[in-house]
Amino acid sequence: MGTSFGRGGATTFQQDLQNSDCIVIMGSNMAENHPVGFQWVMEARERGAKFIHVDPRFTRTSAVADLHVPLRPGTDIAFLGGIINYILENDRAFKEYVVNYTNAPVILKDDFEDTEDLNGFFSGWHEDKNGYTFETWQYKGMDLHGAAGQREGESSLAKMEAFRQREDALKHGEPPNMDKTLQHPRCVYQVLKRHYARYTPETVARICGVKPEQLLEVAQAMCDNSGRDRTSAFAYSVAWTQHTFGVQMIRSAAIIQLLLGNIGRPGGGIMALRGHASIQGSTDIPTLFNILPGYIPMPHAKAHHSLKHFIESEGAKTGYWGNLDKYTVSLLKAWYGEHATDENDYCFDLLPRISGDHSTYRSMMGMIDGKVKGFFCCGENPAVGSANAGLQRRALASLEWLVVRDFCEIESAAFWYDSPEIESGALKTEEIPTEVFWMPAAAHTEKDGSFTNTQRLLQWHHKAMDPPGDARSELWFYYHLGKKIKALVDERGDEPHADAIKFLTWDYPEKGAIREPDAHMVLREINGWDENGDALPAYTKLKADGSTACGCWIYCGAYKGEENQTARRKSRMEQSWVAPEWGWSWPDNRRIIYNRASADPDGKPWSQRKAYVWFDEVKGQWTGYDTPDFEKTKKPSYTPETGAQREDAIAGWHPFIMQDDGLGWLFVPNGIVDGPLPTYYEPHESPVKNLLYEQQSNPARQKFPRPFNEYNPSPSSEHGGQFPFVLYTYRLTEHHTAGGMSRTVPHLSELQPEMFCEVSPELAKLRGLEHGKWATIYTVRAVIEARVMITNRVQPIRLNGKTVHSVGMPYHWGRRGIVTGDSANDLLHIALDPNVHIQETKGLTCDILPGRRPRGKAMLEFMEEVRAKAHLEKA
Amino acid sequence: MEHERPVWPVMRQLTDGDPLALGSAAQSETTRKWRGRIADAKVTKSVCPFCAVGCGQLLYVKDEQLIQIEGDPDSPISRGHLCPKGAATRTMVQSPMREYKVKYRRPYGTKWEELSLDQAMDMIAERVLKTRRETWESKDEEGIDINRCYGIASLGGATLDNEENYVMKKLYTALGIVQVENQARI
Ligand code: SF4
């Protein structure tokens, strides 16, 4: 999302789905996984909207849809490509929107070559480095930069890229070479048209295992319900992100929504449905390696030698990322207070540098390799919840020390005496060196704080009672740990790079007998203050001269007027449907972002039916139902001077203010490491060959062939037939991820007591599986067992005359809890999206047999046989 | 007063203006005095801790005990609803499997041992500094300053508060720990 539009968050809010005329849910089972949010889809349907569900499995979401299209798992890019092709071939794009608000008219550099020309590769591929450089993907006469922290990927290749001298040359707010008739053969619109020409209904049908008519029905419905008077919305969740090409799936939806003019408008947009209470928040204020709060990139060893260097290579000159200096200096002031001065680069050199991928899967392998010795695990359960859980447990068993913070003793705390490896004898308790601290955590009812939900909305939860016993909040744990560490560092005086710890501001007021740090004051620091110490009202007030401090610029305004805005709870009955006084959403309490696009280039609503934000000529300002996502008094006709910088360079008719050209990017010239346009590749483990290109899978995907993470043989190889079925995992309404918060709950355990797998009657017959009895499922990584559920909800898919069966299973179970069972994640491998390093869980290969799995030593022998058949070395 | 009202329910239905017997006609003096379990409990506004829909919750506390969690009808997102997980939040907080004491397993140990919270905190602080010292990287292979601690990693955040993620990221970064990750990646 970030690369297409400029910000990495849902473009709209759940309640706005009710205004949609057509909703396509894809890669998500919203009715079961986001049940209460789903009421807004039903609301739209009541109002006459068409509701389509595209998903391999028939679920409760499909049950209430007007149309359910079951497609082969992992083929969504082909399906979406088919929709794009339909729009372009039949001239169904919303032309006025596309010409003015997107980069469709922009003419590309002469040396750009497409996957059509290079058989599955774009220009700029470096075989030796296994990656792309972006110089050929640029606009003619202008180099694009992309929204700073929104650029995906932090490989050294990409970083060197940022280093290159750039030609920033907006002319009066517009890229220098454009063809607004969209006819020029090298303009983005025509490039797109050629790129997608292969995605005909027939080809897509063959890849996805759907009927051409089904694709056409979806494409037509979206086109018929888009335009001045109508809008269509997309909703997706992890079934789109968990692939070796996940970012490109979301990009495909972004292209459709831009072509149809559905971004920034009521009833339109892309609703990213996130799985955890604050998963959006933990990206905004990231517990992620590659970014600092507010999507500021983490400084990189090769590219960022000084603050100036960092700002120049990471910030754009134009658009709101042109203010990266203000955001960064204010963050450093929040962290290093009076120690951060102009003379010492505001302590920029106290920050550590990254030098590539340091994501969690790397860390776990680092543990096995002896490089990572200590590990904190807070409210997560990698021994069940992470892909290739067996490798995760081996990683834990290789540590020097481990801190696990949770409500109960989860599998990640018990791995040293209770795990499949201990059961089989592959690992022995007495031989595991890990020192384990299990620390009881406080529940949300026992602490103050804010969650950021799936629509960028911050909501405060108030403490109702003190945490019992030794249970403490993470806030308490990290604050007091920091205090102890600071004291030790002061006392000893010889720790490396000690100033980074000594200078850190670390003085939140403490409350009550347990001396809980005041969460309100932490939020106030996140919000930031001005030179007088007063809470800042908005990020537009930040300065680069060290006079403002702000812990996360996109959250600036959450403590506006010295009031915790996130705790606002004005009843929905007392305000408009947009409910701007319920909580606070970033940025600047905007509920639909890029909402300037809800008005036409002249600032008038596209239609009365879809009016949302518009320019009031009399008052000379933007107004409407939401906070305008635009400078309040910038006229629609505002034409920037050539050479203008920051937001001043954004024309009055360009709604995507975070991008350096203010445009929605159909084509992404900078920021995605595996291609400027989505291209269909087969999943890493796939039962069939890629029909579109010789290139089988995403060439830039991350592979980790190593002991305990071997891959099933590919379909074309000699032993390709060994794993004939597609495997995918999913969630149930009654359980939560790895089960730490649900398999420990009596009610929920009773509702979903046992691990199971879903298979079609045909597959059951083929393999002799019986309903309610046991099945054994295996890959080269692991073998597990599950109860069999035979159901028509999973359908075999016919591909090129071949029948492909699939096995679906929930991944919530583990060995601890009130209800226990084998973990589906044991079967999974680690192969990642090269941009965001998210693993592929939605389309692997496996085999299934009737009966229970072997136990103890027999399990090891079974696996040896499997591996021998696949011609892999002994484990 | 009971004796002033007709004794037969059917008569009460007619005289009380409650012909369907859904209200006062169906009540006796005893049931009229009944109060909901949550009637005089303290109400705290909260948010469901499970998925990212962000449903509003009302926490009811009486005598220092959490006695009930219900959907918040004021919420514009959830309009008072909770799904099975949200509705089971109280049992999650009070799960029979929840534990309240620190547990410690020494290297190569075969059982859990007890440890006071304060002692655990001291030990963890020492471990952090020790590993930081041992795995400190001040320069990379080209001699460029990197100033980081490669020997410590962290996973967690998506179920935590923004304020918690903030202090985590702040402290880790100051310690030079770069391998900071959460469920958003998983
Ligand atoms: S009640 Fe259900 S739908 Fe609502 S936030 Fe909680 S888990 Fe999500």
Side-chain angles (χ1 to χ4, degrees):
Chain A
M1 299 259 228
T3 42
S4 305
F5 312 128
R7 299 184 184 109
T11 69
T12 183
F13 57 115
Q14 295 174 90
Q15 303 94 295
D16 178 48
L17 287 171
Q18 67 185 302
N19 298 314
S20 194
D21 300 299
C22 174
I23 298 175
V24 179
I25 296 187
M26 207 164 159
S28 165
N29 172 12
M30 191 178 179
E32 293 180 57
N33 291 336
H34 300 89
V36 179
F38 191 68
Q39 64 178 303
W40 300 107
V41 175
M42 296 311 287
E43 193 82 34
R45 237 196 115 206
E46 295 286 298
R47 295 180 182 196
K50 181 151 180 146
F51 167 37
I52 297 165
H53 187 219
V54 183
D55 200 81
R57 221 162 39 108
F58 184 89
T59 60
R60 289 179 180 115
T61 307
S62 332
V64 288
D66 295 306
L67 173 67
H68 171 235
V69 183
L71 84 175
R72 175 164 65 98
T75 61
D76 309 53
I77 289 184
F79 192 85
L80 296 165
I83 299 178
I84 298 171
N85 180 52
Y86 176 88
I87 297 169
L88 297 171
E89 287 303 318
N90 297 286
D91 213 12
R92 300 290 307 259
F94 184 2
K95 278 289 167 55
E96 234 182 308
Y97 186 105
V98 168
V99 169
N100 291 293
Y101 297 167
T102 78
N103 65 3
V106 176
I107 296 168
L108 297 175
K109 267 195 174 168
D110 296 335
D111 45 4
F112 170 70
E113 289 180 280
D114 190 45
T115 44
E116 297 309 288
D117 314 316
L118 302 175
N119 202 11
F121 288 90
F122 293 96
S123 51
W125 176 255
H126 300 272
E127 188 64 44
D128 50 333
K129 303 199 179 85
N130 202 40
Y132 285 107
T133 47
F134 312 147
E135 65 275 3
T136 60
W137 304 353
Q138 300 298 314
Y139 294 179
K140 191 172 178 155
M142 179 180 181
D143 283 352
L144 269 291
H145 188 256
Q150 299 301 342
R151 279 174 301 142
E152 314 283 5
E154 60 301 304
S155 67
S156 296
L157 213 54
K159 284 293 163 188
M160 296 314 285
E161 198 59 29
F163 214 43
R164 203 158 46 81
Q165 269 302 326
R166 294 194 313 270
E167 197 182 352
D168 296 307
L170 283 179
K171 287 219 175 78
H172 297 295
E174 305 230 77
N177 294 290
M178 300 200 10
D179 173 15
K180 294 210 172 186
T181 67
L182 306 181
Q183 296 308 314
H184 191 288
R186 298 196 67 79
C187 80
V188 166
Y189 187 83
Q190 294 297 334
V191 167
L192 211 60
K193 206 164 165 178
R194 287 195 299 275
H195 180 79
Y196 281 106
R198 286 179 187 241
Y199 295 73
T200 60
E202 292 69 33
T203 306
V204 170
R206 281 171 61 209
I207 296 175
C208 303
V210 301
K211 294 193 194 79
E213 305 83 75
Q214 290 174 307
L215 171 73
L216 287 172
E217 188 176 345
V218 179
Q220 269 158 8
M222 289 203 75
C223 291
D224 293 347
N225 288 297
S226 301
R228 277 183 178 270
D229 215 31
R230 306 183 80 77
T231 47
S232 298
F234 261 115
Y236 76 90
S237 58
V238 291
W240 268 8
T241 52
Q242 293 180 351
H243 285 286
T244 45
F245 34 69
V247 167
Q248 298 286 17
M249 286 204 186
I250 300 158
R251 275 276 300 138
S252 305
I255 292 173
I256 294 173
Q257 290 300 59
L258 284 172
L259 287 173
L260 295 177
N262 283 325
I263 299 294
R265 302 180 60 207
I270 301 178
M271 189 71 232
L273 295 165
R274 321 247 178 215
H276 291 63
S278 201
I279 203 145
Q280 180 71 46
S282 63
T283 316
D284 301 337
I285 295 185
T287 31
L288 293 175
F289 81 90
N290 56 330
I291 42 178
L292 290 164
Y295 301 93
I296 296 173
M298 194 72 189
H300 191 282
K302 300 286 186 252
H304 304 136
H305 307 308
S306 66
L307 180 60
K308 186 163 169 271
H309 215 143
F310 175 75
I311 303 294
E312 271 174 14
S313 62
E314 292 300 320
K317 286 212 174 72
T318 55
Y320 270 96
W321 276 111
N323 298 309
L324 178 63
D325 52 348
K326 301 176 184 172
Y327 311 150
T328 310
V329 170
S330 299
L331 171 67
L332 289 166
K333 284 301 284 182
W335 284 10
Y336 286 111
E338 59 187 29
H339 296 287
T341 63
D342 192 30
E343 292 72 52
N344 69 6
D345 250 7
Y346 299 99
C347 295
F348 182 70
D349 279 341
L350 295 185
L351 302 178
R353 300 295 191 263
I354 59 170
S355 52
D357 169 18
H358 308 301
S359 66
T360 180
Y361 288 104
R362 292 266 189 191
S363 303
M364 301 315 273
M365 294 181 216
M367 292 171 199
I368 294 178
D369 300 340
K371 288 195 197 119
V372 177
K373 299 168 191 295
F375 185 46
F376 290 95
C377 179
C378 305
E380 304 238 358
N381 195 1
V384 173
S386 290
N388 195 345
L391 180 132
Q392 307 284 335
R393 292 186 296 266
R394 283 176 189 272
L396 298 176
S398 311
L399 286 164
E400 275 180 18
W401 54 268
L402 165 70
V403 178
V404 179
R405 296 185 42 81
D406 219 298
F407 301 141
C408 309
E409 190 195 318
I410 54 170
E411 289 81 356
S412 298
F415 69 94
W416 51 273
Y417 71 96
D418 186 8
S419 75
E421 291 74 29
I422 298 282
E423 185 205 303
S424 71
L427 293 178
K428 293 192 180 61
T429 300
E430 315 78 62
E431 291 169 11
I432 294 175
T434 317
E435 182 182 31
V436 186
F437 298 89
W438 183 85
M439 315 280 288
H444 74 300
T445 51
E446 296 152 3
K447 63 188 184 189
D448 285 331
S450 64
F451 288 141
T452 303
N453 85 344
T454 197
Q455 64 207 53
R456 296 170 282 100
L457 181 72
L458 282 75
Q459 302 185 95
W460 194 262
H461 56 84
H462 297 271
K463 181 177 111 171
M465 54 205 300
D466 280 328
D470 288 346
R472 294 291 183 272
S473 66
E474 263 63 26
L475 194 60
W476 184 97
F477 175 78
Y478 282 95
Y479 176 64
H480 287 282
L481 181 66
K483 269 178 62 168
K484 282 188 192 282
I485 291 175
K486 268 170 96 73
L488 288 172
V489 169
D490 282 340
E491 190 185 301
R492 293 180 184 162
D494 61 348
E495 297 295 336
H497 211 55
D499 289 350
I501 303 169
K502 280 187 181 167
F503 293 170
L504 192 72
T505 58
W506 206 251
D507 46 7
Y508 307 107
E510 298 171 17
K511 292 198 299 197
I514 61 166
R515 299 178 34 217
E516 175 80 5
D518 187 346
H520 291 273
M521 290 301 109
V522 180
L523 181 65
R524 191 174 181 277
E525 178 177 316
I526 293 169
N527 176 89
W529 48 77
D530 62 15
E531 59 267 43
N532 302 319
D534 297 330
L536 286 162
Y539 64 86
T540 48
K541 297 281 185 257
L542 293 171
K543 299 208 180 91
D545 60 4
S547 62
T548 56
C550 173
C552 178
W553 72 276
I554 57 173
Y555 282 10
C556 186
Y559 215 84
K560 182 175 165 176
E562 302 295 345
E563 190 200 329
N564 186 344
Q565 303 286 333
T566 73
R568 293 182 305 168
R569 280 210 170 62
K570 185 169 178 176
S571 171
R572 68 189 162 92
M573 276 82 93
E574 291 157 22
Q575 51 176 331
S576 78
W577 70 274
V578 178
E581 292 173 72
W582 181 273
W584 183 89
S585 70
W586 74 265
D588 204 16
N589 206 24
R590 294 162 197 168
R591 308 288 161 131
I592 294 183
I593 45 180
Y594 322 113
N595 60 35
R596 158 65 189 92
S598 68
D600 67 12
D602 297 332
K604 297 190 183 65
W606 289 106
S607 64
Q608 268 327 303
R609 189 165 177 260
K610 294 288 168 180
Y612 193 67
V613 161
W614 57 89
F615 191 74
D616 182 331
E617 291 288 349
V618 182
K619 293 207 188 99
Q621 63 185 38
W622 289 92
T623 180
Y625 307 122
D626 198 347
T627 315
D629 189 8
F630 212 59
E631 284 161 89
K632 208 163 178 194
T633 55
K634 187 184 260 186
K635 286 204 170 72
S637 60
Y638 168 78
T639 310
E641 297 290 333
T642 296
Q645 300 211 339
R646 308 186 191 237
E647 58 271 27
D648 293 342
I650 301 296
W653 60 92
H654 283 177
F656 296 91
I657 57 174
M658 303 307 297
Q659 306 281 54
D660 19 14
D661 54 3
L663 296 170
W665 285 1
L666 292 165
F667 179 96
V668 174
N670 195 341
I672 296 198
V673 301
D674 56 352
L677 291 173
T679 299
Y680 180 70
Y681 299 112
E682 284 293 325
H684 178 73
E685 280 184 357
S686 165
V688 294
K689 290 196 185 174
N690 191 349
L691 283 182
L692 282 185
Y693 307 103
E694 259 171 47
Q695 182 58 31
Q696 169 79 359
S697 7
N698 186 351
R701 74 192 184 283
Q702 288 181 296
K703 295 159 285 193
F704 304 95
R706 57 176 290 153
F708 310 113
N709 192 48
E710 276 119 348
Y711 301 113
N712 288 349
S714 78
S716 50
S717 75
E718 205 186 326
H719 318 289
Q722 195 188 350
F723 297 98
F725 309 127
V726 175
L727 162 76
Y728 57 95
T729 60
Y730 49 83
R731 291 189 190 193
L732 304 169
T733 309
E734 297 80 3
H735 281 300
H736 193 58
T737 61
M741 286 165 74
S742 65
R743 276 184 294 108
T744 54
V745 178
H747 291 154
L748 297 173
S749 298
E750 192 176 334
L751 288 168
Q752 284 292 359
E754 231 173 345
M755 170 69 183
F756 61 91
C757 62
E758 292 189 47
V759 296
S760 66
E762 290 88 339
L763 176 56
K765 204 160 152 228
L766 192 69
R767 278 292 189 259
L769 305 169
E770 281 179 71
H771 190 73
K773 297 275 172 58
W774 292 95
T776 294
I777 306 107
Y778 65 96
T779 62
V780 293
R781 271 91 48 189
V783 54
I784 67 164
E785 64 185 13
R787 292 279 186 185
V788 177
M789 179 189 279
I790 301 176
T791 167
N792 285 319
R793 294 189 300 221
V794 270
Q795 287 287 338
I797 284 175
R798 318 231 179 255
L799 288 173
N800 291 326
K802 189 176 160 194
T803 303
V804 177
H805 293 283
S806 51
V807 179
M809 56 178 82
Y811 71 90
H812 304 293
W813 274 271
R815 299 169 74 94
R816 319 279 308 165
I818 296 170
V819 290
T820 55
D822 284 355
S823 308
N825 273 321
D826 285 13
L827 298 173
L828 268 51
H829 60 62
I830 302 178
L832 312 176
D833 180 290
N835 292 291
V836 291
H837 319 295
I838 294 179
Q839 78 289 351
E840 189 155 67
T841 65
K842 306 288 175 187
L844 305 96
T845 57
C846 72
D847 199 358
I848 184 167
L849 305 167
R852 301 198 75 157
R853 67 164 162 82
R855 300 192 127 61
K857 211 156 162 270
M859 184 154 123
L860 290 180
E861 286 159 14
F862 178 89
M863 285 312 297
E864 276 313 323
E865 252 172 66
V866 168
R867 296 162 51 82
K869 254 198 231 158
H871 287 246
L872 293 169
E873 309 257 306
K874 269 191 147 208
Chain B
M1 295 292 117
E2 195 68 19
H3 64 266
E4 287 167 17
R5 302 170 72 219
V7 180
W8 284 5
V10 65
M11 292 299 288
R12 292 209 296 268
Q13 275 170 251
L14 296 173
T15 56
D16 279 11
D18 180 17
L20 296 175
L22 293 170
S24 61
Q27 289 175 338
S28 70
E29 195 59 22
T30 317
T31 59
R32 205 177 357 259
K33 281 198 199 121
W34 282 356
R35 288 281 168 273
R37 216 155 37 89
I38 56 173
D40 50 355
K42 189 174 140 254
V43 188
T44 306
K45 294 250 183 184
S46 192
V47 183
C48 176
F50 286 98
C51 90
V53 169
C55 296
Q57 291 189 334
L58 298 174
L59 314 180
Y60 293 87
V61 174
K62 202 149 95 179
D63 307 324
E64 300 294 300
Q65 282 299 313
L66 180 66
I67 55 164
Q68 178 74 335
I69 294 183
E70 293 202 351
D72 183 353
D74 286 337
S75 165
I77 302 164
S78 57
R79 302 192 285 194
H81 304 289
L82 292 175
C83 82
K85 283 195 291 286
T89 308
R90 185 184 62 77
T91 23
M92 180 205 83
V93 174
Q94 297 167 348
S95 161
M97 299 203 67
R98 197 171 163 195
E99 294 182 61
Y100 303 98
K101 284 258 159 263
V102 175
K103 297 205 288 191
Y104 175 70
R105 184 248 178 183
R106 63 182 69 236
Y108 307 103
T110 53
K111 57 176 193 325
W112 286 116
E113 299 173 40
E114 278 184 18
L115 202 60
S116 77
L117 178 59
D118 205 46
Q119 202 183 346
M121 294 297 287
D122 284 337
M123 287 167 77
I124 295 168
E126 288 288 0
R127 303 290 180 279
V128 169
L129 284 179
K130 178 170 174 280
T131 306
R132 184 175 182 271
R133 256 193 323 270
E134 285 172 4
T135 62
W136 187 256
E137 301 177 340
S138 52
K139 294 192 188 300
D140 71 1
E141 66 292 343
E142 289 172 41
I144 298 170
D145 290 341
I146 47 176
N147 287 315
R148 68 186 183 204
C149 155
Y150 208 75
I152 302 178
S154 168
L155 183 66
T159 51
L160 308 179
D161 299 338
N162 292 317
E163 295 71 21
E164 297 179 319
N165 276 288
Y166 181 74
V167 295
M168 285 168 80
K169 181 74 177 183
K170 186 175 169 182
L171 182 63
Y172 285 142
T173 308
L175 290 167
I177 298 172
V178 291
Q179 300 174 80
V180 180
E181 288 277 283
N182 74 51
Q183 185 81 22
R185 193 86 66 196
I186 295 169

